[in-house]
Amino acid sequence: MAYAPTAPHLDFAAPPSPARLVVLVSGSGTNLQALIDACADPAYGATIVAVGADRDGIAGLERAAKAGIPTYVHRVKDFPERTEWDAALTGTTAAYAPDLVVTAGFMKILGGGFMRRFEGRIINTHPALLPSFPGAHGVRDALAYGVKVTGCTVHLVDDGVDTGPIIAQGVVEVTDADHEDGGDALHERIKSVERTLLVDAVGRLAREGHSVHGRRVLPLTPHQ
């Protein structure tokens, strides 16, 4: 059964500082590193309490270990059913009592159990200006379409693929040279903007709280 939001309007008060973050990774962990660096400043208002992964032996886990952050791994292939993997991931993540969950290059679709447990508090990035070019090949698809600008999006995760409410977006210009190298240089420029955008968005939500009104993510004010 597909996950469905329980309410069109959700408020999330700013948690006690520092906010607790769990970050999920599948690869090199460059976005994770950006968050680790940001959390080193007490004024940022957040700390990473655990890093989870869907595979072992990846650089993202090494970055966490170097920073002294607890890690855990749940591989889909180790579970008879996908729902069992989702339950294990949900349970381990919940044990760290996160205020926010950040999927930083996490390449698995989260299941309904995870979505219900952390509804409105899961943050993801995408290398395109959503709702254009969702899915695993946002950079390639944008180039193929011939756009003059693309960029990146930080958004809340819902039950669709890159369809959740948008928190922030950054614009990156496409050059003629990008078509010559297949988009590699463009993707690197997008990643650079993405890291800054993610750090800013996570910090704001951690320090100020947020309110979800349908497709809008707004600051949570004392009047709400």
Side-chain angles (χ1 to χ4, degrees):
M1 180 180 294
Y3 163 77
T6 57
H9 177 192
L10 300 170
D11 288 341
F12 299 94
S17 185
R20 298 171 62 86
L21 309 180
V22 167
V23 182
L24 302 181
V25 298
S26 292
S28 64
T30 54
N31 281 342
L32 167 63
Q33 187 63 57
L35 288 168
I36 291 173
D37 294 343
C39 288
D41 181 357
Y44 185 64
T47 186
I48 301 172
V49 296
V51 171
D54 65 322
R55 62 193 72 179
D56 43 27
I58 58 174
L61 292 174
E62 295 174 6
R63 292 179 189 272
K66 184 177 180 180
I69 301 169
T71 64
Y72 58 95
V73 178
H74 289 306
R75 303 185 304 176
V76 173
K77 65 181 181 180
D78 292 336
F79 295 86
E81 301 290 339
R82 185 66 175 252
T83 53
E84 295 180 33
W85 170 80
D86 179 66
L89 183 69
T90 303
T92 306
T93 302
Y96 288 98
D99 298 301
L100 297 169
V101 177
V102 182
T103 56
F106 189 65
M107 301 307 292
K108 292 291 186 295
I109 295 176
L110 299 168
F114 196 98
M115 294 296 301
R116 283 187 290 273
R117 179 65 178 78
F118 303 107
E119 180 179 11
R121 296 184 289 137
I122 309 169
I123 302 170
N124 184 49
T125 64
H126 181 71
L129 295 174
L130 296 174
S132 298
F133 314 114
H137 305 291
V139 178
R140 183 194 68 185
D141 293 345
L143 269 181
Y145 200 82
V147 299
K148 300 302 182 183
V149 295
T150 184
C152 51
T153 303
V154 178
H155 64 98
L156 295 177
V157 177
D158 65 5
D159 61 327
V161 178
D162 300 321
T163 56
I166 291 170
I167 301 169
Q169 292 183 303
V171 175
V172 177
E173 185 177 356
V174 179
T175 70
D176 291 340
D178 293 323
H179 294 274
E180 303 301 323
D181 71 0
D184 291 343
L186 174 61
H187 202 173
E188 289 305 312
R189 298 200 306 278
I190 290 173
K191 287 179 180 179
S192 179
V193 174
E194 180 181 72
R195 286 190 286 271
T196 301
L197 202 69
L198 176 65
V199 167
D200 178 70
V202 170
R204 283 191 289 107
L205 268 60
R207 294 188 301 270
E208 302 171 8
H210 65 287
S211 183
V212 182
H213 293 256
R215 294 209 47 80
R216 301 179 67 200
V217 182
L218 304 173
L220 187 61
T221 71
H223 302 292
Q224 292 180 306

